[in-house]
Amino acid sequence: VMFCSQLPRLKTEGFENQKMFDSKIKGLHHCLVILTRALSGNYICFEVFELYEDQCLPLAISALLKACMCLAPEDMVAYPKMFRRVCDFLHELIQEHLDQLVLQEPEMFNKVLLSLIDGICMTTDPVTISAAAGALDHLFEYFYVHALSRTRGKLSKKDREIVSKLSKLFSNVYCKRTLERVLPILFNLVVFESSSTLLWSLSRPMANAIACDAKGFQKFRRQFIVGQPEDERETLDKAISELGAGVEFDTSYRNKNNFTRNLAKFSKTIRKMPRVRPVLI
């Protein structure tokens, strides 16, 4: 009831002053903390809700998602603690309760993806960035392991249902466009903007994004090289080829570590080439 009451308040009142912060942002912040902590840690057997056909969990998650997605990106940035809680919630939801997220409509799922991208691009808080990147990392890894890898035939009934719904969401035209933006955004951040302290966090979803869409990576690679000075293209092509040295792009921990190491070398190479430009998104 407390969670569901937040949505109408957010829709009917403004966002311009301290009163707004006290009445809505602060209340929503507390709701996020409560539900995120309830969802994490394996303290509660949520299967009981399914057993008794109790809809309180999906209703609470849906209401909180709608309340969070009502906030404009600039509102999130204005309240960094709130932004962090939103990304923490989405990270926990994707990592431990993906079956609840895939129940959402494509429009809501796309807003979740956009919020995670904003969590990476629109803040300098390393905790928020790591949470958003970790959520994308798990989403891509789950899809690869359960939908694309050779072991996908051994799925449980629950995983088969999640994969079926997730595949439909990924194929939605708007979600597909958003997902295609992830790799260029992460690439630009790692190579041209972010500090080395965020390399590990950002490289993880990059590796899994490539594993999920090898053709998309090759398209992105051509786009990046074509947009650079002609005399730099051969060097860049060779440097990008070395990103895959010792990497099979199968989401394993070893391959992710190899990719992170290769990406660090690639980033250093690019930063010594001042005429190289970021990819246009």
Side-chain angles (χ1 to χ4, degrees):
V1 174
M2 179 176 63
F3 296 146
C4 296
S5 67
Q6 294 298 313
L7 180 58
R9 294 177 62 196
L10 282 169
K11 283 188 172 182
T12 57
E13 299 178 28
F15 293 93
E16 290 111 10
N17 49 45
Q18 188 63 31
K19 184 178 179 181
M20 174 276 297
F21 174 80
D22 292 335
S23 63
K24 287 174 289 298
I25 295 295
K26 192 173 182 179
L28 185 56
H29 179 275
H30 290 323
C31 288
L32 283 164
V33 172
I34 292 170
L35 190 54
T36 300
R37 291 179 179 176
L39 293 175
S40 63
N42 296 321
Y43 298 119
I44 302 172
C45 181
F46 288 102
E47 282 74 14
V48 172
F49 292 93
E50 297 180 18
L51 179 63
Y52 291 101
E53 298 182 353
D54 190 330
Q55 295 298 307
C56 66
L57 178 62
L59 286 174
I61 289 175
S62 181
L64 199 51
L65 278 173
K66 290 177 182 177
C68 293
M69 298 307 115
C70 283
L71 298 173
E74 52 269 25
D75 294 322
M76 297 271 210
V77 175
Y79 298 99
K81 290 183 179 180
M82 176 68 185
F83 206 175
R84 179 186 295 187
R85 293 304 181 190
V86 170
C87 290
D88 285 343
F89 169 63
L90 296 178
H91 180 273
E92 191 62 38
L93 186 61
I94 290 174
Q95 184 167 333
E96 300 294 343
H97 301 274
L98 188 56
D99 59 318
Q100 297 296 327
L101 180 59
V102 297
L103 295 175
Q104 305 302 315
E105 294 295 325
E107 182 181 0
M108 177 57 66
F109 186 77
N110 189 50
K111 288 181 179 180
V112 169
L113 294 175
L114 291 171
S115 293
L116 292 173
I117 291 175
D118 289 340
I120 293 172
C121 299
M122 298 184 65
T123 178
T124 58
D125 176 32
V127 177
T128 303
I129 294 172
S130 295
L136 288 172
D137 177 32
H138 184 78
L139 185 64
F140 291 139
E141 181 169 343
Y142 183 93
F143 186 73
Y144 177 84
V145 171
H146 294 85
L148 303 177
S149 71
R150 296 176 182 177
T151 60
R152 62 184 182 275
K154 303 176 183 178
L155 301 181
S156 65
K157 180 181 178 181
K158 182 176 182 179
D159 282 326
R160 287 197 299 270
E161 292 175 354
I162 294 175
V163 167
S164 176
K165 293 172 183 175
L166 190 59
S167 298
K168 291 179 181 178
L169 290 170
F170 276 12
S171 62
N172 175 268
V173 60
Y174 298 108
C175 297
K176 190 174 182 180
R177 289 175 185 171
T178 302
L179 289 167
E180 289 173 350
R181 294 176 53 204
V182 172
L183 184 58
I185 287 172
L186 291 171
F187 182 87
N188 286 344
L189 284 172
V190 170
V191 175
F192 297 100
E193 298 180 30
S194 70
S195 65
S196 58
T197 57
L198 292 173
L199 176 65
W200 191 93
S201 297
L202 297 177
S203 68
R204 271 26 202 181
M206 277 188 69
N208 282 337
I210 294 171
C212 287
D213 189 9
K215 291 183 180 178
F217 173 65
Q218 293 304 323
K219 179 181 177 181
F220 162 75
R221 174 178 175 170
R222 291 191 296 269
Q223 178 187 356
F224 173 65
I225 293 175
V226 168
Q228 307 306 326
E230 190 171 351
D231 58 331
E232 302 276 22
R233 292 177 186 175
E234 184 177 350
T235 303
L236 287 172
D237 188 49
K238 181 179 178 181
I240 291 181
S241 297
E242 293 175 353
L243 278 175
V247 182
E248 297 179 7
F249 293 112
D250 62 359
T251 75
S252 70
Y253 192 78
R254 177 180 60 83
N255 280 306
K256 285 184 181 181
N257 284 342
N258 290 340
F259 179 76
T260 300
R261 184 188 65 247
N262 294 344
L263 188 60
K265 293 179 181 179
F266 177 76
S267 180
K268 290 179 181 178
T269 300
I270 296 301
R271 293 182 183 189
K272 293 177 182 177
M273 305 169 70
R275 292 192 298 153
V276 175
R277 299 181 293 269
V279 180
L280 295 177
I281 302 172

